[in-house]
Amino acid sequence: MRGVSYEYRKFVNLADILDVPAGIIEPEYCAFSDRDEIGGITCQENDSVIVLDMRGKEIVCRDAIKLAWAAEPDGLAIVD
């Protein structure tokens, strides 16, 4: 997956997981596991971190970590 461009609005389940329309989601930072199986994206304005499953043909949003209001995550690291 590295070096591949992927339109964030095409992530399956993203708008549903965050419970907002795709046009209101503001992705900021991303990180990937060493084997490119799991990824994460911070959404500063949405106070959340999105968990991506990248093992299949299509990247799928599996979950969101909802943070406290105004947490605005400012970076991300994934440790295997």
Side-chain angles (χ1 to χ4, degrees), residues 5-6 10 15 21 25 53 57 63-64 67:
S5 178
Y6 200 86
K10 292 183 181 178
I25 298 166
D53 183 345
K57 285 186 173 184
D63 207 355
L67 305 172

Side-chain angles (χ1 to χ4, degrees), residues 9-58:
R9 289 186 174 112
K10 292 183 181 178
F11 289 139
V12 175
N13 299 333
L14 179 60
D16 293 334
I17 288 171
L18 287 180
D19 195 29
V20 295
I24 297 176
I25 298 166
E26 293 189 32
E28 299 285 336
Y29 298 96
C30 62
F32 304 95
S33 65
D34 288 339
R35 292 180 225 126
D36 290 339
E37 295 174 345
I38 297 172
I41 300 173
T42 64
C43 296
Q44 241 178 6
E45 298 301 316
N46 304 100
D47 297 320
S48 61
V49 176
I50 304 301
V51 179
L52 305 173
D53 183 345
M54 304 180 347
R55 294 175 287 186
K57 285 186 173 184
E58 191 169 337

